[in-house]
């Protein structure tokens, strides 16, 4: 591999940023998840997502050859300018209640499985390895989200809250499948097997079976090319950079 | 919520040991949650989960009525003394 090139770099950054922010969002439930056992499980899932992000950033930081260098990974992971991020709105929106966080966890992980599959046979070997490792963890994530929904969807009160959260999140979730910068080149180079939106129908079908709702009836939010941040992104970035910004010159 | 008792062992080593308890809404989630609550640092690779409702309880009054039967708590001292007496009496 002779360097990633700008396009593939952009393609990988979009994936890494999604994983990073999904992990970050989940971590914000540490200590306040509905019960102790769930707190532990959800925190662990958050940690897995952050691990996936770190693996992707390490590939980008090393220009295709993963580096084990926290400083270079952090430089990518905590970009100060919101305009430099490539995350989807689904992972940027704030989750004020548990139903919202749970539905997003399910929607995101259903898409994440398909997204890793797109790079499981990648010409970029470290990416294929990251995909294999991620899938071992994602099996647990999906079982966790499904287990909770199995119990909570049939109960009138929690079922209603979950459906409300779903209606709120679906337009943003569909946006995960919007073409990202660099995807065309990534597919041409064999870094990914096909554009991600070729898996949208499969995901939609899963959503329909899970929630008994048809996502095609929901108007997707207008695509932003991942260049505009959701209004909730700013405050989150401030929280994420809180310690770093205390002393930007400090060496960690 | 149901309460489950968690038992763990390492594959091929020792016996199942009680690791603790767990609250979960059903068996499937109990398994999912037990993994993170009790086995996240590879404390064991075999797991038993028992719904506490299914545990057969022994009444302490019934199980342990023998506190007043010292002859069932032989610590060896009485026998040692008896043997010493026999030995000394016989010499």
């Amino acid at each position: 591999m002779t360097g990633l090139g700008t396009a593939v770099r952009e393609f990988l950054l979009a994936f890494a940023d999604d994983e990073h922010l999904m992990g970050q969002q989940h971590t914000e439930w540490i200590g306040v998840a509905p019960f102790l056992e769930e707190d532990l499980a959800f925190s662990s899932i958050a940690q897995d997502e952050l691990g996936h992000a770190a693996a992707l950033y390490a590939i980008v930081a090393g220009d295709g050859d993963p580096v084990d260098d926290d400083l270079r990974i952090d430089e990518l992971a905590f970009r100060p300018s919101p305009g430099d991020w490539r995350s989807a709105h689904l992972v940027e929106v704030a989750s004020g209640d548990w139903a919202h966080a749970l539905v997003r966890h399910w929607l995101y992980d259903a898409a994440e499985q398909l997204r890793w599959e797109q790079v499981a046979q990648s010409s970029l070997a470290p990416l294929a390895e990251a995909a294999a490792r991620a899938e071992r963890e994602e099996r647990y994530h999906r079982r966790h989200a499904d287990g909770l929904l199995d119990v909570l969807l049939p109960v009138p009160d929690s079922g209603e809250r979950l459906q409300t959260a779903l209606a709120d999140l679906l337009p943003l979730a569909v946006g995960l499948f919007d073409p990202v910068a660099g995807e065309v080149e990534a597919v041409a180079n064999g870094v990914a097997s096909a554009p991600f939106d070729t898996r949208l129908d499969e995901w939609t079908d899963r959503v329909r079976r899970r929630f008994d709702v048809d996502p095609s009836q929901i108007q997707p939010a207008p695509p932003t090319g991942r260049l505009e941040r959701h209004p909730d992104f700013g405050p989150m970035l401030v929280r994420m950079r809180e310690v770093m910004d205390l002393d930007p010159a400090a060496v960690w | 919520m149901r309460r489950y008792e968690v038992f763990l062992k390492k594959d091929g080593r020792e016996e199942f040991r009680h690791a603790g308890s767990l609250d979960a809404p059903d068996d499937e989630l109990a398994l999912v949650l037990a993994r993170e609550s009790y086995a996240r640092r590879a404390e064991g690779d075999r797991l038993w989960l028992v719904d506490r409702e299914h545990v057969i309880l022994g009444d302490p009054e019934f199980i342990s009525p023998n506190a007043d039967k010292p002859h069932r708590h032989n610590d060896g001292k009485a026998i040692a003394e008896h043997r010493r007496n026999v030995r000394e009496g016989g010499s």
Side-chain angles (χ1 to χ4, degrees), chain A residues 76-100:
Chain A
L76 280 172
F78 295 97
R79 274 156 284 158
S81 165
D84 292 338
W85 286 71
R86 294 293 173 262
S87 36
H89 283 189
L90 178 72
V91 298
E92 295 174 354
V93 67
S95 265
D97 72 43
W98 175 247
H100 199 268

Side-chain angles (χ1 to χ4, degrees), chain A residues 10 39 57 109 121 127 130 148 152 171 175 178 199 208 214 228:
Chain A
E10 285 280 305
D39 206 306
Y57 286 133
D109 285 339
Q121 313 294 326
L127 183 58
L148 285 168
L152 294 172
D178 286 343
R199 307 297 298 274
R208 188 164 49 232
D214 184 359
E228 287 168 27

Side-chain angles (χ1 to χ4, degrees), chain A residues 37 44 47 140 143 147 151, chain B residues 22-23 26 28 32 35-36:
Chain A
E37 291 83 350
S44 176
Q47 206 172 34
Y140 177 77
R143 195 164 164 182
V151 172
Chain B
L22 179 83
D23 284 348
D26 66 6
E28 163 66 6
V32 167
R35 199 187 92 159
E36 287 307 321

